[in-house]
Amino acid sequence: MTQTPSVIAPADAWVRRPWHPLSLLLVLALWLSTLGNLPLWRAMWDLTDTHSLRTWLGLVGFALIVLSATTVLLSLLVWPIWRKPVGVALLMVAAANSYFMIAYGVVIDPTMMANTVQTDVREVRDLLSWSMLVVLALGVVLPGWWWWRQPVQKLPARRLVGRQLGLAALAALVLLVVVWASFQDLASTMRNHKSMRYMLNPFNTIYASARLVVGQAAQARQPLQPIGQDAVFAPATVAGHKPPLIVLVVGETARAANFGLAGYARDTTPQLRQLQSSGELAYFSNVSSCGTNTQVSVPCMFSHLGREANAKNDIPYENLLDVLQRAGMQVLWVDNQSGCKGLCDRVPNTNTLALKDPVLCPDGECFDEIMLRVLPERLAQLEKAATRGKAAGTVVVLHQMGNHGPAYYKRTPADMKVYQPECRSTVLQDCPAQEIVNAYDNAVRYTDHLLAQTVRWLKSQPRPTAMLYVSDHGESLGEKGLYLHGMPYMMAPKEQTHVPMVMWLSKPLQSQLKWDAHCWKKQVSAPISHDHLFHSVLTLAQVKTRLQQPELDVYAGCVARSP
Ligand SMILES: [Zn+2]
């Protein structure tokens, strides 16, 4: 039996009358460009301080731009066979992006997308919160349920394609006209507030994903490029040489602003201060990070390219660890975080994920001290297995969990929480500012403890030793309404890029390097960055290669060179 529209009872008509596909598409476009972009509209509203006629016209123009651009996108993207899932996916992208933008002040750019793709269960668990569930319920479940259940007219394929592409063309025309009419105001707003361009849902996600895929595809097409093939171990003195042991600690999310040694009002680094006052340790006070997130910074720290070249590079190069290994050093990467970002692929490495130490790994996550617990055994295994390199020495990387947020309170054991009360919510703005700082500072103090422990252990080793610590990037703790990190570098606040760096050198290594302590004192306040790390570690490890740039070596001039 067939049913025609005229048979439907009038009372039911509004419920059952199927949507014209284009009308339904416009409803979604309207939702996405208004409620789906609340953070963008909030930012726009905050920008317009004088609400004059001109700014109102500007807002209306911008609204038309967003709506017509979204309509173009949906007309090209949403077709009957995948209408339902694509609609829900777009709602999900808009809601999730909006939540993170409002909750943490982040924007969605390619490096943020790279972070998202490389995240792990621990990180996701740290971000879950009730307010996030509420946002997802209101922004995805309710509208998604409605979207899924709407009956839609079946138009003949050719007619639908014609009309939908017609709609795309019309919306594109509106877009062009409005952009042309408001170009001057629009261009200056976008120039002055660059973060806005990463706030437009869902275009930010599409752009960032495309950039990521294109970048990764470009890397994948090329073979790994070896670097420093001329690297050799070249100690200043050969007589009585003992192979040194150098520990590089890669910090996480520790900012200089909260580091006691940097002059912070709270003494968050009492143990390091003691080492500093006995003249054994140097704090570098003017260090900038390479990026504002782990994904960018950590590979950059081990790269010979430096920040600017790295940002443009899509050639896969070897890194510092490959060069050290090639020069005959033993290398070991110990990870207490989400992995080494490919840096340790060709060197011995171990991570602490599977460890079940009852004291150091409660609740399935380990405190950073676990790395010192496993280190002696792993080093012994390494030396046993080694057939060469014993003379040149060993470089160990400890990749910390450090101050990884937003659950700062999870980074410190209960008996080391000096500053109370701590924020115990992952929705940071739910906590009083001081509680966020307390939890963060406790984690800094725990890093102080870890580094001092490392030094104590190194002192007990019967060989020349050194420790170099530097954080991967900083963190915003609510300044300017920002939380966490990951702002695009060009607009990142100093809190996210000014990082602490600490060096300790044992007396035997100092004499092996013919260390000039006066030179060292000059270097500690010089403006340096992650760009210096590659070239400086080569000097510490006494490895020579033409790749090394003396102007990026903080120790250049402080050590005797091999003849
Ligand atoms: Zn990081």
Side-chain angles (χ1 to χ4, degrees), residues 252 294 472-473:
E252 176 58 63
T294 312
D472 65 342
H473 51 77

Side-chain angles (χ1 to χ4, degrees), residues 492-552:
K494 203 169 179 219
E495 291 86 14
Q496 295 190 17
T497 57
H498 184 201
V499 290
M501 175 165 144
V502 161
M503 192 191 65
W504 174 85
L505 273 188
S506 73
K507 287 267 151 48
L509 189 59
Q510 289 188 22
S511 57
Q512 198 177 86
L513 292 168
K514 301 202 187 310
W515 194 249
D516 176 354
H518 295 291
C519 158
W520 184 8
K521 282 186 183 124
K522 269 192 311 211
Q523 294 290 37
V524 292
S525 53
I528 59 172
S529 72
H530 281 163
D531 290 10
H532 289 72
L533 206 65
F534 180 94
H535 308 275
S536 308
V537 172
L538 287 176
T539 296
L540 265 193
Q542 305 171 75
V543 168
K544 250 170 80 170
T545 155
R546 280 196 305 274
L547 210 56
Q548 192 183 32
Q549 299 176 40
E551 67 278 13
L552 290 177

Side-chain angles (χ1 to χ4, degrees), residues 251-253 292-295 297-298 337 399 404 472-474 485:
E252 176 58 63
T253 316
T292 61
N293 62 44
T294 312
Q295 194 54 43
S297 272
V298 173
Q337 226 210 80
H399 188 202
H404 197 290
D472 65 342
H473 51 77
H485 52 264

